[in-house]
Amino acid sequence: MKKNGFTLIELLAVIVILSILTLLVGTSITKMLKNSKEDLYEDQLLSIKHAAEIWGSENMSELPESGKCKLLKLSDLKENGLLDSNIVDPKNGNNISDEMLIKITSKLTKYGGLSTSYEVNPNDVSDCVYIYDSGEIVDEPIICQAVTQETASKTSSGALKGFVPFK
């Protein structure tokens, strides 16, 4: 007698084989997508670091002294035109916060030069000061009126020009 089809066992075997292949291919694709998102995130952090290095080369007087550290915010780099205004975190699809910190540290080299390093999103920011401090400005003997950032310009010593003392 001649059969015109597949048996139930043959169909189940094909379904099991296809399921295993789908599982293997699906997990490898998911892993590849996750790794590519991680790589893209690391590339974005590297771009932020390079933007901070460019900022440092343009603002050498603001860099920290040897053994000290200073902090930049991501928003500072954006305001200086070194980064796009919207940087998206590929891992979750949200914008990276403008409050992300870049830690700038300096140390003396064995030849007497100054070596500056940049760390994006550092774990330890203790003993660091902000380069662009948005807080109130207080001078020891004279309490000054608050000066907006648009009318003030920072000097290399960190003091602000253009403050108006109380009388």
Side-chain angles (χ1 to χ4, degrees):
M1 187 165 145
K2 194 172 184 183
K3 292 184 180 180
N4 289 335
F6 297 105
T7 64
L8 183 59
I9 293 180
E10 291 172 332
L11 287 173
L12 287 175
V14 169
I15 291 173
V16 167
I17 291 171
L18 288 175
S19 299
I20 291 171
L21 286 174
T22 304
L23 181 66
L24 292 174
V25 170
T27 55
S28 65
I29 289 174
T30 304
K31 185 177 179 182
M32 194 171 20
L33 286 173
K34 182 181 176 189
N35 288 342
S36 66
K37 287 180 181 182
E38 284 289 329
D39 290 345
L40 181 58
Y41 181 72
E42 292 300 321
D43 287 345
Q44 286 178 331
L45 293 182
L46 190 61
S47 295
I48 293 169
K49 180 180 175 183
H50 288 306
E53 290 170 349
I54 292 169
W55 178 91
S57 67
E58 293 174 352
N59 298 286
M60 293 185 81
S61 63
E62 295 291 334
L63 295 177
E65 299 171 5
S66 176
K68 304 211 178 202
C69 65
K70 290 188 175 183
L71 297 171
L72 264 178
K73 291 183 182 178
L74 188 63
S75 60
D76 298 329
L77 297 175
K78 289 179 180 181
E79 289 171 5
N80 283 298
L82 297 170
L83 290 173
D84 291 337
S85 60
N86 292 332
I87 302 174
V88 177
D89 183 348
K91 294 188 287 187
N92 58 23
N94 297 331
N95 284 344
I96 294 178
S97 171
D98 284 351
E99 299 300 312
M100 177 186 269
L101 297 176
I102 297 94
K103 181 179 178 181
I104 306 170
T105 55
S106 295
K107 63 180 179 179
L108 286 176
T109 64
K110 62 182 177 180
Y111 301 109
L114 197 62
S115 171
T116 306
S117 63
Y118 299 84
E119 182 182 356
V120 178
N121 215 8
N123 294 327
D124 181 29
V125 293
S126 59
D127 299 327
C128 293
V129 295
Y130 287 96
I131 291 178
Y132 297 114
D133 189 12
S134 60
E136 292 185 17
I137 303 143
V138 178
D139 206 358
E140 285 287 324
I142 304 170
I143 300 175
C144 306
Q145 292 179 346
V147 180
T148 62
Q149 286 184 323
E150 291 85 29
T151 60
S153 63
K154 234 168 191 244
T155 64
S156 61
S157 65
L160 289 173
K161 293 180 181 176
F163 65 89
V164 180
F166 287 123
K167 295 195 178 203

